[in-house]
């Protein structure tokens, strides 16, 4: 080891080179040539090379191929395969100008080679190229490390959003004689733009909401949380649903403005005392409905999605007497691949309608049901949310 190297091993700005040769003359020569620009450490054989390599973690190894006991090929194999280091630059030194030897060294894991005797200018040039490669790799690793830390921070924030979002979903459902409510909620990521809620307005009257914010991630989840908060606040004031939707859209227009986000929504107030359901669908997937055991026409959207401009919040009505079945869902339920094509909304509605009529619609087994009907098991890429409302009048 040169005295200069001993005094400055901790100097990270000066790359460290390990010279390995069984000839002391060659070791001294290489040290003198390189020590003005780099830290230089020497080893006299393969075993000492491995010990020094573990101790100092060099940037470049100048490695003689032909050494007794443990030759250069064994050293390369040890470093690349056993110690698992693909990054340290290994330049082999050989007195044999044979293509087979050079090819063997390169195939074993060497990065470059020099044939003895070599010119000092060529040696410095090859080492300089190796050092530039090392420094570039370090810069990339540093940038990747910083980028990974940034991703980790974002990931932690998304996880926090998801935890908070889970708390926004209903934890209890209204208790009304003959009423059964089932839900399915599977976000595609850790934060979702889907939202649903069911809550009491007064005795025997519930409000049902399903919404889908365009896009994914924290911003979509944030907008969803605002929609949920507005619905809850307006519901607690017992405002008419039409009034609630007007106010919510007004807030969304102000919030979203000219951004590309929008909200599709289906909302209904269902009065089981009078058998009246008042509803509005704003750009949302058609809701499926059965009234008194008869499958009705799908409740398709009659106004555009919210958040663009003012909409007519006039409510439609459906009436029922002895029973009501209502099925709401988001587009993630049917936007999945079937080979080269996508499954379609109409196909999904046909299957869901058939299952409703047979009283066999089970949200917790949606993949099984779709696979049975289509022969293809769905792999959902988007947020998947569905809600089933079933009521039968006590006789």
């Amino acid at each position: 080891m040169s005295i200069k190297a001993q005094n400055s091993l901790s100097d990270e700005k000066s790359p460290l080179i390990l010279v390995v040769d069984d000839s002391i003359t060659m070791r001294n020569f290489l040290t003198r040539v390189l020590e003005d620009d780099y830290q230089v450490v020497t080893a006299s054989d393969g075993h000492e090379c491995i010990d020094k390599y573990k101790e100092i973690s060099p940037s470049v190894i100048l490695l003689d191929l032909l050494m007794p006991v443990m030759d250069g090929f064994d050293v390369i194999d040890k470093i690349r395969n056993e110690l698992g280091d693909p990054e340290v630059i290994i330049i082999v030194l050989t007195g044999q100008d044979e293509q087979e030897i050079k090819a063997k060294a390169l195939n074993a894991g060497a990065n470059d080679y020099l044939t003895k005797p070599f010119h000092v200018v060529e040696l410095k040039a090859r080492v300089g190229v190796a050092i530039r490669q090392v420094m570039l790799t370090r810069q990339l690793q540093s940038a990747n490390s910083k980028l990974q830390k940034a991703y980790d921070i974002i990931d932690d924030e998304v996880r926090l959003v998801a935890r908070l979002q889970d708390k926004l979903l209903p934890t209890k459902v209204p208790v009304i004689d003959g009423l059964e409510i089932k839900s399915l909620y599977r976000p595609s990521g850790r934060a979702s733009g889907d939202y649903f809620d069911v809550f009491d307005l007064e005795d025997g009257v519930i409000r049902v909401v399903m919404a889908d914010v365009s896009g994914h991630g924290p911003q979509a989840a944030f907008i969803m949380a605002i929609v949920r908060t507005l619905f809850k606040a307006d519901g607690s004031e017992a405002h008419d649903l039409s009034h609630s939707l007007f106010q919510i859209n007004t807030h969304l227009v102000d919030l979203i403005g000219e951004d590309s986000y929008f909200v599709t929504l289906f909302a209904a107030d269902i009065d089981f005392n009078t058998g009246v359901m008042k509803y509005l669908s704003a750009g949302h997937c058609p809701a499926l409905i059965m009234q008194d055991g008869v499958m009705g026409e799908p409740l398709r959207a009659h106004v555009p999605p919210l958040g663009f401009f003012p909409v007519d919040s006039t409510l439609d009505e459906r009436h029922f007497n002895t029973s009501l079945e209502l099925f709401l869902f988001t587009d993630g339920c049917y936007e999945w691949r079937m080979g080269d094509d996508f499954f379609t909304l109409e196909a999904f509605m046909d299957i869901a309608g058939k299952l409703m009529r047979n009283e066999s619609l089970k949200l917790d087994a949606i993949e099984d049901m779709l696979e049975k009907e289509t022969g293809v098991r769905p792999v959902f890429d988007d947020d998947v949310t569905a809600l089933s409302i079933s009521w039968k009048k006590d006789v």
Side-chain angles (χ1 to χ4, degrees):
M1 179 185 298
S2 71
I3 294 177
K4 180 176 291 188
Q6 286 179 316
N7 293 336
S8 59
L9 281 178
S10 62
D11 183 6
E12 295 182 358
K13 295 182 180 179
S14 180
L16 199 153
I17 297 176
L18 176 58
V19 172
V20 188
D21 201 298
D22 59 344
S23 168
I24 188 172
T25 301
M26 182 58 69
R27 294 199 302 273
N28 289 338
F29 166 72
L30 292 171
T31 299
R32 288 196 302 272
V33 170
L34 299 171
E35 64 182 353
D36 286 340
D37 299 310
Y38 311 107
Q39 301 178 81
V40 181
V41 177
T42 64
S44 59
D45 57 49
H47 289 294
E48 187 179 6
C49 168
I50 296 301
D51 292 340
K52 292 288 179 64
Y53 162 83
K54 293 179 179 179
E55 177 185 347
I56 65 175
S57 298
S59 300
V60 177
I61 300 176
L62 293 177
L63 177 65
D64 185 25
L65 279 180
L66 301 180
M67 297 181 293
V69 185
M70 186 178 188
D71 63 17
F73 292 107
D74 293 332
V75 170
I76 295 172
D77 181 69
K78 178 86 171 179
I79 291 175
R80 295 301 192 213
N81 299 319
E82 186 174 331
L83 299 177
D85 184 351
E87 295 181 0
V88 62
I89 304 296
I90 300 177
I91 303 175
V92 296
L93 309 175
T94 176
Q96 297 176 300
D97 191 16
E98 295 183 11
Q99 293 301 319
E100 184 178 346
I101 297 296
K102 296 173 183 177
K104 181 180 177 182
L106 294 173
N107 288 330
N111 301 90
D112 199 358
Y113 63 85
L114 280 168
T115 303
K116 300 177 184 178
F118 43 77
H119 197 281
V120 169
V121 174
E122 183 181 11
L123 170 66
K124 287 188 173 182
R126 297 287 182 90
V127 172
V129 170
I131 292 300
R132 286 195 292 274
Q133 183 175 340
V134 169
M135 299 306 292
L136 178 60
T137 299
R138 289 179 180 175
Q139 291 171 2
L140 290 174
Q141 289 174 338
S142 176
N144 287 338
S145 177
K146 292 177 181 178
L147 186 60
Q148 185 60 52
K149 289 180 180 178
Y151 280 141
D152 290 342
I153 292 173
I154 294 172
D155 192 60
D156 288 341
E157 291 178 349
V158 172
R159 290 178 186 274
L160 176 59
V161 170
R163 288 197 298 270
L164 293 174
Q165 190 174 24
D166 285 342
K167 295 180 180 179
L168 298 179
L169 297 175
T171 56
K172 60 180 181 178
V173 296
V175 178
I176 296 175
D177 289 342
L179 178 64
E180 184 178 21
I181 300 173
K182 294 182 179 180
S183 63
L184 171 68
Y185 175 71
R186 294 184 189 172
S188 59
R190 285 182 292 272
S192 169
D194 283 7
Y195 155 66
F196 75 92
D197 204 352
V198 184
F199 54 91
D200 288 299
L201 290 179
E202 55 184 273
D203 188 27
V205 183
I206 65 173
R207 177 163 291 178
V208 180
V209 183
M210 179 164 289
D212 185 359
V213 180
S214 61
H216 300 279
Q219 188 165 350
F222 172 72
I223 296 173
M224 181 276 278
I226 291 176
V227 174
R228 185 261 188 192
T229 301
L230 292 172
F231 261 113
K232 281 290 189 182
D234 223 52
S236 66
E237 297 294 330
H239 286 144
D240 178 80
L241 180 59
S242 178
H243 174 272
S244 299
L245 291 167
F246 175 82
Q247 293 296 328
I248 289 169
N249 185 57
T250 300
H251 285 295
L252 288 175
V253 170
D254 290 340
L255 173 68
I256 298 174
E258 297 180 357
D259 288 349
S260 58
Y261 286 88
F262 59 87
V263 179
T264 69
L265 177 144
F266 181 96
D269 284 352
I270 306 176
D271 189 337
F272 297 101
N273 302 313
T274 61
V276 177
M277 182 182 81
K278 298 181 179 181
Y279 73 94
L280 182 140
S281 181
H284 199 72
C285 304
L288 300 185
I289 187 170
M290 286 183 64
Q291 300 148 258
D292 302 327
V294 178
M295 199 76 189
E297 287 296 317
L299 307 181
R300 300 182 183 274
H302 49 279
V303 297
L306 305 184
F308 284 130
F309 39 73
V311 298
D312 180 4
S313 58
T314 302
L315 304 178
D316 280 355
E317 290 188 11
R318 290 294 183 273
H319 298 263
F320 56 95
N321 183 27
T322 58
S323 67
L324 176 69
E325 302 279 342
L326 183 67
F327 177 56
L328 310 177
F329 56 94
T330 59
D331 54 13
C333 291
Y334 61 86
E335 289 183 346
W336 47 273
R337 285 194 174 275
M338 293 185 65
D340 295 331
D341 298 320
F342 277 96
F343 195 50
T344 64
L345 170 61
E346 296 301 324
F348 178 78
M349 291 170 58
D350 287 343
I351 293 173
K354 172 185 172 182
L355 296 173
M356 287 176 67
R357 287 189 292 268
N358 295 336
E359 299 184 352
S360 56
L361 180 62
K362 300 177 181 178
L363 300 188
D364 57 354
I366 188 169
E367 287 98 342
D368 295 336
M369 295 186 302
L370 291 172
E371 182 179 20
K372 181 178 179 181
E373 295 293 332
T374 66
V376 178
R377 189 167 187 83
V379 177
F380 298 118
D381 297 321
D382 199 359
D383 303 326
V384 175
T385 304
L387 186 64
S388 173
I389 309 290
S390 178
W391 176 82
K392 289 185 179 180
K393 187 175 183 179
D394 290 338
V395 180

